């Protein structure tokens, strides 16, 4: 018997390009959306599933009084001691993978969209999804949006962008691209077109091999 496989899309993009905004539009059309950033945040939220291991590794000083990860302190440690990043990722990454897989098993809807900010950087996602969708905008737009949303300076936003792959590299890796430099109205036809394409791909996957073209 053929194993049922679900068509999946990996949605990525640089900080502030509009991943969440676009993912919400796909979700509104029925796609199952799994946001790996939200999963990661949940693991380090107050009494999140990764907190006992993080406290054991880094000490109770790295937890806030309500039992969440002290992000500012961890960020400072990771910047000053690169080996701390590997220790942090060693705890978080397997748990993110397991929680993502569990969420994928429960997902309904015709296909799944995994929102993965560092999809290109992290390497293992490519072979786990049928298509890579990049949300693209100019660097100037990214800077303006993140400054407005997070109250950061231009230098702070550019430092985060410098730690991500370049726009050109992301576009090179993408199968599909949504341009998000204009308003929300400009997103709708692009989302509609790709949603129809992904529905077709998902339907094609469920057709028995003997009936495939
Ligand atoms: P991050 O990488 O930080 O998680 P993201 O890629 O998920 O960000 P969003 O959170 O969707 O990006 O968008 C960043 C900000 O820009 C938000 O405040 C959002 O409301 C705004 N934004 C996104 N797209 C548009 C658009 N087309 N028009 C106006 N504002 C937008």
């Amino acid at each position: 018997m053929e194993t049922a496989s679900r068509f999946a899309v990996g949605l990525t993009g640089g900080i502030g390009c509009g991943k969440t905004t676009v993912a919400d539009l796909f979700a509104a059309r029925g796609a199952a959306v799994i946001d790996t950033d939200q999963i990661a945040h949940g693991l380090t939220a107050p009494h999140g599933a990764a907190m006992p291991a993080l406290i054991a590794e880094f000490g109770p000083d790295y937890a806030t009084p309500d039992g969440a990860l002290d992000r500012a302190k961890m960020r400072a440690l990771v910047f000053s001691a690169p080996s701390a990043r590997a220790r942090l990722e060693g705890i978080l990454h397997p748990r993110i993978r397991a929680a993502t897989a569990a969420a994928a098993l429960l997902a309904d809807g015709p296909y799944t969209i995994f929102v993965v900010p560092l999809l290109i950087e992290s390497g293992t996602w490519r072979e786990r999804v049928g298509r890579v969708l990049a949300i693209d905008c100019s660097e100037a737009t990214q800077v303006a949006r993140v400054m407005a949303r997070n109250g950061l300076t231009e230098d702070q936003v550019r430092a985060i962008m410098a730690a991500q792959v370049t726009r050109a590299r992301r576009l090179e890796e993408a199968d599909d691209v949504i341009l998000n430099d204009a308003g929300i109205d400009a997103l709708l036809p692009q989302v509609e077109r790709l949603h129809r394409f992904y529905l077709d791909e998902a339907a094609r996957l469920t057709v028995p091999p003997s009936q495939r073209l």
Side-chain angles (χ1 to χ4, degrees), residues 10-155:
L11 184 157
T12 193
I15 184 167
C17 277
K19 296 179 292 295
T20 305
T21 305
V22 171
D24 287 349
L25 293 172
F26 278 102
R29 284 156 181 77
V33 172
I34 296 174
D35 188 326
T36 58
D37 235 13
Q38 270 174 19
I39 287 176
H41 267 85
L43 290 171
T44 55
H47 307 295
M51 287 312 297
L54 289 173
I55 291 169
E57 178 71 27
F58 295 100
D61 284 357
Y62 284 86
T64 59
D66 62 354
L69 178 67
D70 187 329
R71 291 175 203 287
K73 213 165 180 173
M74 184 54 75
R75 204 174 300 124
L77 178 69
V78 161
F79 270 112
S80 65
S83 65
R85 179 185 294 276
R87 285 156 61 209
L88 175 67
E89 291 179 349
I91 291 170
L92 287 181
H93 285 182
R95 287 171 173 79
I96 294 171
R97 267 199 298 278
T100 303
L105 280 179
L106 295 175
D108 54 10
Y111 64 93
T112 304
I113 293 190
F114 293 101
V115 182
V116 190
L118 300 181
L119 184 145
I120 312 291
E121 292 86 335
S122 65
T124 62
W125 272 99
R126 252 251 154 244
E127 60 263 29
R128 290 154 67 190
V129 293
R131 306 284 291 185
V132 170
L133 166 60
I135 314 305
D136 181 58
C137 70
S138 72
E139 292 191 356
T141 304
Q142 276 182 283
V143 170
R145 283 193 189 139
V146 180
M147 283 176 71
R149 188 191 56 188
N150 298 32
L152 298 178
T153 65
E154 174 164 357
D155 283 351

